[in-house]
Amino acid sequence: DQQVKQNSPSLSVQEGRISILNCDYTNSMFDYFLWYKKYPAEGPTFLISISSIKDKNEDGRFTVFLNKSAKHLSLHIVPSQPGDSAVYFCAASAGDAGGTSYGKLTFGQGTILTVHP
Amino acid sequence: SQTIHQWPATLVQPVGSPLSLECTVEGTSNPNLYWYRQAAGRGLQLLFYSVGIGQISSEVPQNLSASRPQDRQFILSSKKLLLSDSGFYLCAWSGENTGELFFGEGSRLTVL
């Protein structure tokens, strides 16, 4: 059962334009969402996160939007740069009172973003 | 600053051979530690997590095991590898009550 889905395996964007990466989830217990960026043969690096009490979080060129009713989140990159080309993973977690769930992330399959110069 | 390191980076092993991947974290104490696996064309799947020395929780039934002999050391093992164990293994750590994971460089395992 794929609780976090990234339905677009790849996305190609021109430099300077907006990149929009989408993610859907099914588990209503998820309350914390993250985006990670991964280059080949490297570990993922954290990009941006959002708590379920918010619907938007912005950090420089990166903005994450959360629509709880639709169980959908998206990552916007504006403007896109060739160095943004990587695999982007959406991840979610369901917190518990002890906090030990917070690092137990459920990941999507990833979307390969290619930004053309 | 905190660092995480795992090794070996690349491993080619025959079916039925043992496995040991090691991960260490520096610059933090009592981290939560995790082993994830990325199979070809798939997302990252949580295999094990640990909230303290000797405390291991398994998320999926499998041919692998994990151990945490020291606070900042996490080991992934197998007595006999299967072809299906091939993949990219990632160690990660997080602080208490935080959702952000910090990943190691990854270990590429190919079982032939």
Side-chain angles (χ1 to χ4, degrees), chain B:
Chain B
S1 65
Q2 301 90 357
T3 59
I4 179 168
H5 183 51
Q6 63 178 104
W7 68 94
T10 305
L11 199 58
V12 180
Q13 293 285 99
V15 169
S17 64
L19 170 74
S20 181
L21 299 178
E22 191 164 340
C23 172
T24 59
V25 180
E26 298 294 333
T28 185
S29 59
N30 197 32
N32 294 333
L33 297 173
Y34 309 83
W35 279 109
Y36 279 83
R37 175 173 60 198
Q38 182 184 15
R42 303 186 66 179
L44 284 72
Q45 180 185 36
L46 177 63
L47 302 177
F48 300 96
Y49 72 94
S50 170
V51 299
I53 296 173
Q55 300 179 61
I56 308 293
S57 296
S58 174
E59 288 294 296
V60 293
Q62 59 198 300
N63 182 44
L64 303 167
S65 62
S67 61
R68 185 170 178 175
Q70 300 180 43
D71 181 46
R72 290 170 293 178
Q73 184 184 27
F74 206 22
I75 298 171
L76 184 69
S77 305
S78 173
K79 292 182 179 178
K80 290 185 177 182
L81 284 168
L82 306 173
L83 287 174
S84 57
D85 292 325
S86 294
F88 191 56
Y89 289 83
L90 290 153
C91 181
W93 73 273
S94 72
E96 290 186 38
N97 298 322
T98 69
E100 183 179 336
L101 289 179
F102 300 91
F103 286 89
E105 311 94 327
S107 299
R108 172 74 59 191
L109 170 66
T110 303
V111 182
L112 302 174

Side-chain angles (χ1 to χ4, degrees), chain A residues 20-36:
Chain A
I20 300 176
L21 298 130
N22 294 302
C23 178
D24 297 294
Y25 62 96
T26 58
N27 188 341
S28 57
M29 298 300 292
F30 287 148
D31 60 359
Y32 191 64
F33 304 89
L34 309 92
W35 284 94
Y36 282 82

